[in-house]
Amino acid sequence: MIFKVVIDKEKEESIVATIHSKTELIDEIEQLVMKDMIKDQLPGYRDDEISMLKIKDIECFCTEDEKTYAVYEDSKRYLIKKRLYELEEFLPEEFERISKSAIANWKKIKRFKVQLSGAVDAVFVSGYSECISRRCFADLKRRYDL
């Protein structure tokens, strides 16, 4: 195996690995690389494509059928291979938990919609809406004077 690092501030950062077969070591290296890239981008999976999603453009993270999705500004949902509690560890401060199954980007919320049942939905810029739990809404109301 050959390991080579080239430092060139003029070029875009990239990591290329040429391998004979995928092993546990390669999986660990991939996880380390992706973990470092997560600072401002996150890989999202949709159909047969992997897109690097800018975290600041994600409206909401939600779970459905034990899978985590990112709702992007274009209203598309991308599968994320992380759990919500893992995302909470590194997301910027504008992301906050709004229910057991969702984390919202406060900068992307357009308005709040009160349902007849008393439940409150966060409506995002793209039109996507997510229910805010009563407990989380009470905390958010105190914190932001809503």
Side-chain angles (χ1 to χ4, degrees):
M1 180 183 284
I2 300 171
F3 183 77
K4 183 178 178 182
V5 175
V6 178
I7 299 173
D8 187 347
K9 294 183 180 183
E10 302 297 316
K11 293 186 178 179
E12 184 178 350
E13 288 185 345
S14 66
I15 296 173
V16 178
T18 305
I19 58 174
H20 294 283
S21 64
K22 199 159 182 168
T23 64
E24 285 184 33
L25 175 62
I26 298 303
D27 289 338
E28 286 181 45
I29 291 170
E30 182 182 15
Q31 287 177 352
L32 283 170
V33 169
M34 296 310 275
K35 184 177 180 181
D36 189 49
M37 290 178 67
I38 273 177
K39 292 177 183 162
D40 63 345
Q41 292 185 3
L42 187 66
Y45 301 83
R46 184 175 166 85
D47 301 323
D48 292 335
E49 296 179 3
I50 301 173
S51 302
M52 291 308 290
L53 308 175
K54 292 181 180 175
I55 290 178
K56 66 180 180 75
D57 294 334
I58 295 173
E59 292 185 338
C60 182
F61 292 97
C62 57
T63 58
E64 187 176 300
D65 297 327
E66 297 183 18
K67 294 180 182 174
T68 305
Y69 295 93
V71 179
Y72 208 57
E73 63 184 0
D74 58 4
S75 296
K76 292 182 181 172
R77 290 169 33 127
Y78 295 86
L79 179 66
I80 303 296
K81 294 191 175 180
K82 292 207 169 293
R83 300 277 186 204
L84 289 180
Y85 71 88
E86 294 172 313
L87 292 168
E88 280 182 308
E89 293 176 9
F90 66 82
L91 286 173
E93 60 189 32
E94 60 262 20
F95 285 87
E96 284 198 51
R97 181 79 73 151
I98 60 170
S99 69
K100 271 183 160 179
S101 61
I103 299 173
N105 181 347
W106 283 95
K107 291 184 176 180
K108 298 289 182 176
I109 294 177
K110 185 176 182 180
R111 62 189 167 92
F112 295 100
K113 182 178 176 185
V114 179
Q115 301 292 334
L116 290 174
S117 64
V120 178
D121 290 348
V123 180
F124 296 89
V125 175
S126 69
Y128 176 78
S129 72
E130 185 70 42
C131 185
I132 302 175
S133 73
R134 292 176 193 251
R135 183 181 57 82
C136 288
F137 188 69
D139 291 343
L140 297 170
K141 202 167 147 179
R142 277 192 299 273
R143 190 173 316 137
Y144 295 107
D145 294 325
L146 297 176

